[in-house]
Amino acid sequence: MENKFLANKKIRQALTLAVDKEEMANTIVKGTGEAAYGIVPTGFPGESKTFREENGDSYPKYNPEEAKRLYKEGLAELGVTELPELSLIINEAGNNKKIAEYIQGKIKKELGYNLKIKSLPFKERLERMTQKTFEVVLAGWSGDFNDALGYMDIWTTGGGNNHASYSNPKYDELIQIAQTSSDQKARIKAMIEAEKILGDDMPIGMLYFRQKVFLVNPELKNMKFKPVGSEYYLIDAYIE
């Protein structure tokens, strides 16, 4: 958000809308991820259903025509005659390089922009994020408690993990409600509204939710899986 080019909301939206997350999930992260249309992953509790079920999609789907329109308008608002060079920094682990190259290819195809890719050691990538010496970074996040707040409170103004330097007073106000209220209905309502703000401002271009695949003996019944912590528990499980 401190980069003049990326500080333009329409440019950020265009870059995100140019990436086909469904195609990426089906061809690159197949079996290990699903396209993400929100900040909070599947499985975290809402008021009466899961947070994802109650909020639906807060991020729009792939839309190359809208991406082109927003990109053109964003450039006009900036009044730029020469496009700045942007680099997407990654650490080469797993399929990060393939994901980065897919993003690079889609942005080139849909917007005509040449996004650079810079591969760094994991430690250096983390240092660059912490020091905010990057333009775009491929990164992930895992919550450490069973509540949507574990994904939402990192984007408050001045937050220690808010590496994007995102700031929105209304968002901060809503997260404050989620952090302090004892009313679960009020908390979820505030976080649903806050996630929709993120989906519009797009300081983060969501790609996919990581998944793991388990092979379970069909004779084992009532095995439960968890979104955080230990991956599963067998308290209520039994063999048929």
Side-chain angles (χ1 to χ4, degrees):
M1 297 292 290
E2 294 177 352
N3 178 280
K4 182 180 178 181
F5 188 59
L6 295 173
N8 184 279
K9 176 176 168 178
K10 290 179 179 177
I11 296 295
R12 296 194 305 274
Q13 290 174 327
L15 293 173
T16 302
L17 288 171
V19 178
D20 188 343
K21 292 181 278 192
E22 296 290 344
E23 181 181 65
M24 189 187 73
N26 292 332
T27 60
I28 299 175
V29 299
K30 51 187 177 182
T32 62
E34 64 173 342
Y37 297 103
I39 295 289
V40 181
T42 305
F44 286 84
E47 182 188 351
S48 57
K49 300 178 182 179
T50 67
F51 186 89
R52 275 276 55 84
E53 288 173 321
E54 291 179 355
N55 200 17
D57 294 342
S58 59
Y59 271 66
K61 297 186 185 299
Y62 168 61
N63 190 331
E65 294 307 315
E66 181 69 359
K68 289 181 177 68
R69 183 186 70 80
L70 289 165
Y71 188 62
K72 183 178 180 181
E73 290 181 2
L75 293 177
E77 288 176 359
L78 290 168
V80 296
T81 55
E82 185 175 341
L83 296 180
E85 182 176 294
L86 298 180
S87 293
L88 168 63
I89 64 171
I90 67 169
N91 56 279
E92 272 197 46
N95 53 12
N96 284 353
K97 188 171 185 291
K98 290 182 178 179
I99 292 170
E101 288 174 345
Y102 176 80
I103 293 168
Q104 180 187 53
K106 289 298 289 184
I107 289 175
K108 173 64 175 175
K109 177 184 176 182
E110 306 299 357
L111 303 179
Y113 182 78
N114 292 308
L115 179 68
K116 307 296 183 182
I117 299 173
K118 187 169 186 178
S119 182
L120 304 170
F122 178 74
K123 184 178 179 181
E124 186 177 348
R125 194 262 290 172
L126 288 181
E127 288 175 352
R128 291 277 295 273
M129 288 177 65
T130 302
Q131 296 166 5
K132 302 184 180 182
T133 53
F134 69 94
E135 289 99 38
V136 190
V137 59
L138 181 64
W141 183 262
S142 294
D144 52 8
F145 55 97
N146 193 26
D147 191 277
L149 188 62
Y151 290 83
M152 301 293 294
D153 63 359
I154 62 177
W155 307 113
T156 54
T157 302
N161 290 304
N162 182 0
H163 304 301
S165 296
Y166 175 65
S167 180
N168 183 311
K170 180 60 178 178
Y171 184 86
D172 293 346
E173 178 186 319
L174 291 165
I175 297 304
Q176 177 70 13
I177 293 171
Q179 290 172 327
T180 59
S181 176
S182 59
D183 183 341
Q184 180 68 352
K185 183 177 182 179
R187 293 184 67 252
I188 296 301
K189 181 181 178 182
M191 286 192 284
I192 282 176
E193 186 178 347
E195 194 188 54
K196 291 188 184 302
I197 290 174
L198 280 182
D200 182 57
D201 283 348
M202 282 191 208
I204 316 99
M206 290 299 297
L207 295 173
Y208 70 98
F209 296 138
R210 287 178 296 199
Q211 294 177 315
K212 288 188 176 180
V213 179
F214 293 88
L215 183 66
V216 181
N217 189 319
E219 295 180 357
L220 179 61
K221 305 297 182 182
N222 215 31
M223 181 180 179
K224 301 292 177 63
F225 293 90
K226 301 170 67 177
V228 292
S230 58
E231 293 173 334
Y232 57 85
Y233 62 94
L234 302 169
I235 296 173
D236 301 315
Y238 61 92
I239 300 293
E240 189 176 70

